[in-house]
Amino acid sequence: VTEVANTASGTVPQDDSKKRWKNWRQRTIFTFLMIGGFFTFIALGPLSIMLMVLCLQVMIYREVISLSSVPKKERDLPWSRAMNVYFLGCLEYYLYGQNIHRALKRHPWLEAHLQPVFAHHTFISFSMYLLGFVWFVSTLRKGYYRFQMGQFAWTHMALALVVMQSQFMIENIFEGIFWFFLPIALVIVNDIFAYVFGFFFGRHQLIELSPKKTWEGYIGGGLTTMVFGFVFTALLSDWKFMVCAPPNLHMTVFSDVQCDVNPVFVPRDYRVPSAVTAILSTVLHKTITTVTIRPVQFHSLAISAFASLIAPFGGFFASGVKRAFNIKDFGNSIPGHGGVTDRFDCQFIMAAFSHTYFTSFIKLSTVTVGAVFSSFLVLNPEKQIELYHSIQEYLQTSGSVASIVSPIS
């Protein structure tokens, strides 16, 4: 009767107090361990972060694929698991091959030696996928068609939702570790404080898919995330390690990084509306007509709003998947949290949004020396020499350099 009454009134049923506090302690300990490990990978630089993301992709893909596993049928289809691994390898080769090519643009001569591979990278990747497709079709067996087609579809869904979405994290790294770090930090903060507010003040259920999520946690976590994002962004904006695009993959927190920062990180003075000035003068007995704020702080509010309002629905989607398969967690690799997927279910959509937001509203349109040299390598030798002489003639005519005697005829 009590449970029915609680459900009807919208209140969240109270668990056994002792069990709740045990889970709270366990969850808190491993939360701080994960945060510590996360900061360690950040400090070790882009290469370390990329390897971390790769490991997470593989672990989460494995957890998601295992949901559709039917051991009895798979024993009769010995290649089914091998194909899951093969298709993951094809996609990872395609995605990380692009990232390696981008990194090598900062090392022109090394790129020149690998240019034939990079020039046909997409075709090689597609050919690998076609081999997997032929392999799958050739293994279709009578009596298992529906199961095999379902497995094939589930594999591709996992690749799209897990691997391809998480790849936006890598894209963000190349724009500056700040754009990788901030979105993830916002989701972590929102998750922590939504749990805290829900634990202490939660009374009204937010969504049926996730009974322990409450309106109190959703609102409290959201407001805390907005404040955190605005303040934390200002603290990070002076740190070149964070805001500069990585000059190389082996950069670490101890590296001396220098760059021309994006203008959004440069402080600007904003006029305070007269009405607000009047109120502040009355309350603080001090006249404030301007405030100094970095434009990126306003952008952080938009990203924080997404982390608070929309990203949690990635977690609700994961809850729907768990209910569909009648499981509590995706795994048990993280005590108090479940599987890796349970902790990163919101991060995928967050990474996709932050990258889309950055490229739409913040990214500067620039042409780099590496990009120009990469295009130069595609030209045949005659065109390369023609371009060389054209650049030489322009520089001499404009007075940018002294007259050069060309060794090339």
Side-chain angles (χ1 to χ4, degrees):
V1 176
T2 304
E3 183 177 351
V4 173
N6 286 337
T7 303
S9 61
T11 59
V12 178
Q14 297 297 313
D15 296 328
D16 178 75
S17 178
K18 186 176 181 179
K19 183 178 178 181
R20 291 184 73 198
W21 280 105
K22 180 182 179 181
N23 185 64
W24 162 267
R25 288 192 296 270
Q26 189 179 59
R27 187 184 180 97
T28 300
I29 291 171
F30 278 90
T31 294
F32 281 106
L33 288 175
M34 285 190 293
I35 292 175
F38 177 68
F39 278 115
T40 300
F41 279 107
I42 292 290
L44 292 176
L47 183 58
S48 171
I49 299 172
M50 289 176 64
L51 292 175
M52 176 186 70
V53 174
L54 175 61
C55 291
L56 291 174
Q57 287 175 337
V58 173
M59 293 171 69
I60 295 171
Y61 177 78
R62 178 176 175 274
E63 289 182 350
V64 173
I65 286 295
S66 66
L67 294 179
S68 63
S69 175
V70 181
K72 183 178 179 180
K73 292 185 177 181
E74 289 178 352
R75 281 195 293 269
D76 298 327
L77 302 168
W79 296 109
S80 58
R81 292 191 178 184
M83 276 189 281
N84 290 334
V85 176
Y86 178 81
F87 282 119
L88 174 64
C90 290
L91 185 56
E92 295 287 15
Y93 172 80
Y94 172 69
L95 296 174
Y96 277 86
Q98 291 180 322
N99 295 328
I100 293 173
H101 187 198
R102 183 186 307 182
L104 290 181
K105 286 182 179 180
R106 298 182 175 92
H107 305 279
W109 301 113
L110 181 58
E111 184 193 14
H113 290 292
L114 296 175
Q115 182 60 29
V117 177
F118 292 131
H120 305 292
H121 174 71
T122 301
F123 181 79
I124 294 172
S125 302
F126 185 60
S127 298
M128 291 172 60
Y129 175 80
L130 289 179
L131 287 175
F133 178 75
V134 172
W135 182 17
F136 166 75
V137 174
S138 65
T139 61
L140 289 174
R141 290 181 57 183
K142 186 177 179 180
Y144 294 90
Y145 294 150
R146 183 184 295 271
F147 173 75
Q148 288 180 284
M149 290 298 179
Q151 292 291 89
F152 187 75
W154 185 259
T155 298
H156 283 68
M157 186 203 74
L159 291 172
L161 293 183
V162 176
V163 182
M164 294 190 70
Q165 278 200 116
S166 59
Q167 189 65 20
F168 285 111
M169 295 181 179
I170 304 296
E171 298 291 332
N172 292 339
I173 294 172
F174 283 96
E175 305 298 346
I177 294 179
F178 175 91
W179 302 108
F180 168 84
F181 179 67
L182 180 67
I184 292 179
L186 292 174
V187 170
I188 293 174
V189 168
N190 184 73
D191 185 54
I192 291 174
F193 283 94
Y195 181 79
V196 170
F197 277 93
F199 184 86
F200 289 104
F201 308 108
R203 294 294 181 272
H204 302 87
Q205 191 178 90
L206 173 64
I207 187 169
E208 185 179 349
L209 275 173
S210 191
K212 292 185 179 181
K213 304 295 184 182
T214 65
W215 277 104
E216 291 81 1
Y218 185 70
I219 296 172
L223 294 176
T224 305
T225 303
M226 298 281 285
V227 174
F228 172 84
F230 190 81
V231 175
F232 194 57
T233 296
L235 297 177
L236 293 178
S237 295
D238 284 326
W239 195 2
K240 294 290 184 69
F241 171 75
M242 280 288 178
V243 301
C244 291
N248 51 65
L249 291 180
H250 55 268
M251 175 188 80
T252 70
V253 70
F254 303 106
S255 301
D256 182 20
V257 182
Q258 298 297 327
C259 71
D260 294 326
V261 299
N262 191 305
V264 297
F265 292 105
V266 179
R268 291 176 54 185
D269 291 331
Y270 294 89
R271 289 189 60 82
V272 178
S274 55
V276 177
T277 299
I279 295 174
L280 293 176
S281 298
T282 302
V283 176
L284 303 177
H285 304 291
K286 183 179 180 181
T287 302
I288 301 177
T289 58
T290 61
V291 292
T292 302
I293 300 176
R294 303 169 193 270
V296 70
Q297 290 180 266
F298 295 117
H299 291 296
S300 74
L301 290 177
I303 299 174
S304 298
F306 185 90
S308 305
L309 302 176
I310 307 299
F313 282 84
F316 301 152
F317 174 80
S319 296
V321 172
K322 288 187 286 189
R323 285 183 172 273
F325 286 90
N326 195 30
I327 58 174
K328 183 177 183 295
D329 296 311
F330 283 95
N332 55 7
S333 52
I334 309 175
H337 293 268
V340 180
T341 311
D342 293 288
R343 285 282 55 84
F344 287 88
D345 47 14
C346 300
Q347 296 289 0
F348 302 143
I349 191 173
M350 187 71 212
F353 171 79
S354 58
H355 180 73
T356 303
Y357 185 91
F358 174 83
T359 54
S360 300
F361 301 107
I362 301 174
K363 185 175 183 178
L364 298 176
S365 179
T366 57
V367 178
T368 64
V369 174
V372 172
F373 188 78
S374 181
S375 300
F376 171 80
L377 293 174
V378 178
L379 301 175
N380 59 47
E382 292 76 14
K383 293 294 183 181
Q384 289 178 346
I385 294 174
E386 180 183 344
L387 178 60
Y388 171 81
H389 286 303
S390 297
I391 294 175
Q392 182 187 55
E393 181 181 354
Y394 170 78
L395 293 176
Q396 292 174 352
T397 303
S398 64
S400 299
V401 296
S403 179
I404 303 174
V405 177
S406 174
I408 301 177
S409 57

